[in-house]
Amino acid sequence: MSRLGDGIVWIYHERQDALLCGQHALNNLVQACAFSPGMLAEIAQQLDQMELNYMAENDEGGTRSKDYIRRVAEGSGNVDASGNFSIEVLRSALLTQNNLSLPNIRQQGILDQMDITDIEGFICNRESHWFAIRKINGRYWNLNSTKERPEQISHFRLAAEIEGLQQEGYSVFCVTDALPPPCTTNEGRERGLPQYWWKEEDLVKDKTDAVTGATDPWKNVGSGMRLDGKVNCEEEKSNLLENLTEEEMLQMAMDASMM
């Protein structure tokens, strides 16, 4: 049974699309399609410019210094050609949108002040891959975008799971403040694409035919239809993205960052 009143609890789990796992990790963390490739690419560009401005003002020789010229030649330090964003981009995005910080879990004092099971969520990174672990309705879920569906992690196993990831070379960042609440309504599911919503009760029971937002028989009840016959923006965006190749999606993100 769901534990948030009488409402059904839904879990948002974006799947790997192109090489934008940093975007998926953030969206899975906040349980909404809140961050776009274009938004993150724009933040990366802003951070790059801030770093160049600092070097121009503080390096001997300014914009003619060897370090400045080398930095410009290297290109962006916050997003690479494959669409992999830096931790500073993810931190800036989460702070701007949700007023949440994302410190490294090994930062002094974090686990001295609380138990690991008091932490709301985690972002894990190794090389170019990012994924989220998030507490939803009192349970922890591995929301790795390369997985077919969310996977539950028990409170008892959480510490061992995090330690195991660190031993494998992952850096683990955490959110110690309150994350956005779980989705418990049809209206709430409008903040994400339907195919990425999973019915928590079915996942807990490990049903092979677990209901998703796309297969929910009640998904259209009460939603109505626009009088002009047009689809809503999220559905229109979903249909558009489905017709794009990975290269076209990445180019869209990079183009948006230059506007």
Side-chain angles (χ1 to χ4, degrees):
M1 294 292 290
S2 299
R3 290 183 283 176
L4 286 179
D6 296 326
I8 295 173
V9 177
W10 294 89
I11 297 176
Y12 191 66
H13 176 228
E14 285 188 359
R15 296 289 309 284
Q16 188 80 17
D17 200 349
L19 297 175
L20 300 172
C21 52
Q23 174 206 357
H24 301 317
L26 283 178
N27 285 340
N28 290 339
L29 183 72
V30 301
Q31 290 291 280
C33 185
F35 302 94
S36 68
M39 177 193 301
L40 298 180
E42 182 177 358
I43 292 173
Q45 184 186 36
Q46 292 170 351
L47 291 174
D48 286 336
Q49 191 58 54
M50 290 172 59
E51 292 167 6
L52 288 173
N53 291 345
Y54 180 85
M55 293 179 70
E57 294 173 2
N58 294 276
D59 284 8
E60 184 177 352
T63 58
R64 295 185 178 181
S65 70
K66 291 183 179 179
D67 288 342
Y68 185 93
I69 294 173
R70 185 185 303 113
R71 176 67 176 78
V72 172
E74 290 173 349
S76 176
N78 289 290
V79 59
D80 61 26
S82 67
N84 179 45
F85 298 100
S86 70
I87 179 58
E88 296 307 327
V89 171
L90 272 61
R91 279 174 167 158
S92 179
L94 195 61
L95 184 63
T96 301
Q97 290 288 100
N98 300 88
N99 197 31
L100 293 171
S101 60
L102 195 61
N104 192 304
I105 196 171
R106 285 179 168 168
Q107 184 172 311
Q108 185 175 0
I110 289 181
L111 291 181
D112 294 336
Q113 301 173 7
M114 61 178 66
D115 187 81
I116 196 167
T117 55
D118 293 326
I119 296 176
E120 290 287 313
F122 307 86
I123 293 283
C124 309
N125 167 246
R126 185 177 67 181
E127 297 177 350
S128 62
H129 186 57
W130 301 85
F131 72 92
I133 295 174
R134 160 80 199 254
K135 183 191 287 186
I136 300 172
N137 198 20
R139 297 183 177 95
Y140 282 97
W141 295 90
N142 183 333
L143 302 174
N144 194 329
S145 59
T146 62
K147 293 184 177 295
E148 180 70 26
R149 56 199 278 172
E151 294 182 358
Q152 188 176 349
I153 304 172
S154 70
H155 281 58
F156 177 75
R157 283 289 307 164
L158 180 64
E161 186 83 10
I162 297 298
E163 183 178 353
L165 288 169
Q166 291 174 321
Q167 291 176 352
E168 292 173 13
Y170 277 87
S171 296
V172 180
F173 307 90
C174 61
V175 176
T176 57
D177 297 316
L179 283 161
C183 173
T184 59
T185 64
N186 285 339
E187 292 77 11
R189 286 188 312 190
E190 293 178 2
R191 67 194 189 201
L193 300 178
Q195 65 268 30
Y196 296 139
W197 288 108
W198 291 80
K199 191 175 180 182
E200 181 210 31
E201 185 176 3
D202 287 354
L203 291 174
V204 171
K205 294 178 180 178
D206 200 25
K207 287 187 176 181
T208 56
D209 59 345
V211 172
T212 69
T215 61
D216 178 20
W218 300 97
K219 64 181 178 181
N220 293 320
V221 174
S223 63
M225 180 182 294
R226 286 178 51 160
L227 295 179
D228 59 8
K230 295 180 180 179
V231 298
N232 63 51
C233 61
E234 286 298 335
E235 184 178 350
E236 189 173 19
K237 179 172 69 175
S238 176
N239 292 337
L240 174 63
L241 293 178
E242 286 178 357
N243 295 323
L244 296 179
T245 65
E246 292 184 358
E247 291 76 12
E248 289 171 334
M249 288 185 64
L250 181 57
Q251 188 59 51
M252 277 183 61
M254 301 306 293
D255 290 345
S257 71
M258 304 300 292
M259 294 180 179

